Every structure is written in structure tokens, then in C-alpha cells.
Amino acid sequence: MSDTAQSTARALTSYGLSALPQGPILVASDASSDSNAAFPLAQMLAAHTKADVHVMSALGPFATSMYAFDGMPMPSGGDETSRASREAAIRQQLRNLVPSNEWPVIVRGGESTREIVDYAATIDARVVLTGRGHHGAVERILGGETVLRMLQLGDRPIFAVEPGLTWLPRRALIATDLSEYSVYAARVAMSLVAPDAVVYLVNVGPVFEHTDPLLRERAVAFRDQAHQRFAQMRTLLGRPEVRFEDVLLSGNTADEIIRFAESVDADLVVSATHGYGYVRRLLLGSV
């Protein structure tokens, strides 16, 4: 085994001892239709994991026009009427979408994403479910999308749910560079997929020019090491009833992941975040 493969094996083994979050499933909702998708899936995951479910909502500051000022943000967290109204809307959402459940509803005041990630950490949430929403490129760059903000600020697994996903994922794509971060993300994902799921372990490498002998040799070495790492990862994940498929791609990572996800009709795509802040994400990009 190469030095690289040995170091990877040591990293996987040591990181495999890290405990996954064991607390409740947390549904983050703003009471709008964009968050509806999270509720039916939370019900399915709760039955699968035997975990409790909490529903969390945060009242961010609202903007009000004042003389000589445009859209001055004003705090709304202390407004008991606003809190009561939001809680009533969430409970109506529960009755409409998962009528047989009486999940606790928590409404906080403050900046939404910070309140959600703080509460998720407090209860050791095993996963935060939220509707994916539909935001444009400018909002993504400026950090305005809730999902991306939660990834930036928190350390809990985030599951952004598309409308219509009311079953446990059966075709899961796990994008991995075999770092401890991506292995941890894979372990979280394995706790959420259906027992008979097909799981694609996908690694995207550089584009090699096969006409050049040196680059061709490097390409062969890269593939050999990748297959060794895939085998180590399957052992660590320890789900013999799940069918794993190793997939090696080359090119732009995000583009290739999307293309492959569409080709296999994946209903779960998993990627780890390395915890970079806003500046690094802006300069380096984020898969």
C-alpha cells in the first residue's frame, strides 16, 4: 500500500470513532410553502431513526421606513404578538402536512440562520431539515440563501429538501474526496438512506491528457489509489445490505456531480463542507 493510501487509512480509522449527533431531527420553517417539503420527510426519518422531531422558527428583524432613512432594520424578536402569530402558523402547517404528530414548536427572535444553528447545536440535532427554496446567483454570492448560511455558521448536517420527497432516499450520491470531512458526511448520510438503497461513491479527479505518457501514468496511479480508498470507505460505513457503486469522474467537480446525479436520478446528493468562511468561499468556491 502506498504512503498516501496508508495515511488515508489511518485518517479514516481515527475519524470513524467520532460520534454522530444523536439528538432530535430539527425542522427549520418560516411557515411559508417553501418549507413544506421538510415536514413529510421528517416524519419518515423519525420513523426510521426513532428520533424525536423539533420544529424551529426564527423571527428576523423587519425593515421599516422612517423619515430620511430607507428600510431601517428593527428588531422583532421581543414582539410577543409576532411570536404567537408565527407559532400559530407553524402549528397550522403541522396540522396540514403531518396531522398525526404533536411536535414541539420553538419560535425565537433574532437573525434566522444564527438562531437555527445555535438551537441545533444546543439539542445536538442529528440533522436539520429545511426546504431548499429557489434563490438566484446574486443571493448565493452574497450569502443570502438560508441553506448556505447554515453551512457557513453551523456544524450540524443540513438536508435541503425538494418538494415531493416523501420517502427515505433510495439512490444516494455521496461526493467524496476521502477527507475526514467527506467520510463524516457519508456516515451521516448512511443513517438517513433506505435499507435497500443504492449508494454511489463519487470522486471527481483532474482531467488527464492520455496522449502524454507521464500524465497517463499519473492517471493510472490516481485511479488505483481511489479504488483503495473507496474500499476502505465501504468498510468504515459498514452497511452490507446497501449496494455501493464506485464512480470515478474527471472534470469540474460541481458540474460532474450534477451531471451524474441527473443521469442516475439521485434523490439525495451529499457533499461535505470544510467550514470555510465567506471570503474563502468567495475566492475558492464551494462544491
Side-chain angles (χ1 to χ4, degrees):
M1 183 184 294
S2 68
D3 292 341
T4 302
Q6 288 177 342
S7 63
T8 301
R10 287 192 295 269
L12 297 185
T13 302
S14 62
Y15 203 82
L17 299 176
S18 297
L20 298 179
Q22 294 297 313
I25 296 164
L26 178 60
V27 175
S29 173
D30 61 1
S32 75
S33 59
D34 283 346
S35 57
N36 282 351
F39 287 84
L41 186 62
Q43 186 175 38
M44 289 293 300
L45 288 176
H48 176 63
T49 63
K50 310 304 180 186
D52 294 331
V53 179
H54 291 194
V55 182
M56 162 84 187
S57 190
L59 294 170
F62 63 90
T64 183
S65 297
M66 299 178 65
Y67 181 72
F69 295 94
D70 291 325
M72 175 175 284
M74 301 293 289
S76 63
D79 186 341
E80 291 302 323
T81 301
S82 297
R83 287 177 184 244
S85 176
R86 175 62 63 86
E87 181 176 342
I90 298 289
R91 293 196 182 280
Q92 184 61 53
Q93 202 174 24
L94 274 170
R95 286 191 291 270
N96 292 341
L97 297 169
V98 284
S100 61
N101 291 283
E102 294 289 340
W103 298 334
V105 176
I106 300 90
V107 178
R108 287 185 171 185
E111 198 276 322
S112 299
T113 50
R114 289 188 181 276
E115 293 297 331
I116 292 168
V117 299
D118 287 349
Y119 184 74
T122 298
I123 64 173
D124 192 31
R126 63 183 64 203
V127 64
V128 179
L129 300 184
T130 181
R132 192 173 73 86
H134 298 282
H135 297 273
V138 173
E139 286 179 287
R140 288 177 181 271
I141 292 172
L142 297 179
E145 185 178 5
T146 302
V147 173
L148 294 183
R149 287 282 291 162
M150 286 194 288
L151 290 172
Q152 289 171 332
L153 298 175
D155 61 356
R156 302 290 105 177
I158 307 296
F159 195 151
V161 187
E162 282 281 352
L165 183 61
T166 57
W167 58 87
L168 295 179
R170 301 187 185 100
R171 292 178 301 281
L173 185 162
I174 299 178
T176 176
D177 58 3
L178 276 298
S179 68
E180 64 268 31
Y181 301 99
S182 61
V183 172
Y184 182 81
R187 293 176 61 220
V188 171
M190 296 308 296
S191 70
L192 305 177
V193 301
D196 58 347
V198 177
V199 175
Y200 302 93
L201 300 177
V202 178
N203 181 272
V204 184
V207 177
F208 292 102
E209 178 53 66
H210 297 294
T211 59
D212 183 286
L214 179 59
L215 292 180
R216 185 163 58 247
E217 181 179 338
R218 290 181 179 178
V220 172
F222 174 83
R223 291 194 193 89
D224 289 344
Q225 290 186 4
H227 283 300
Q228 292 176 10
R229 295 174 185 178
F230 278 140
Q232 294 159 7
M233 191 171 182
R234 290 195 302 273
T235 299
L236 181 61
L237 295 177
R239 289 284 298 274
E241 75 280 13
V242 169
R243 178 162 64 91
F244 289 99
E245 293 192 15
D246 301 344
V247 180
L248 286 174
L249 304 172
S250 61
N252 177 275
T253 304
D255 291 343
E256 291 302 317
I257 290 171
I258 292 171
R259 182 191 62 77
F260 185 79
E262 291 175 344
S263 73
V264 297
D265 196 21
D267 47 22
L268 174 65
V269 177
V270 180
S271 179
T273 173
H274 288 233
Y276 295 134
Y278 170 71
V279 174
R280 288 189 179 180
R281 285 181 180 272
L282 186 61
L283 297 178
L284 301 179
S286 171
V287 172

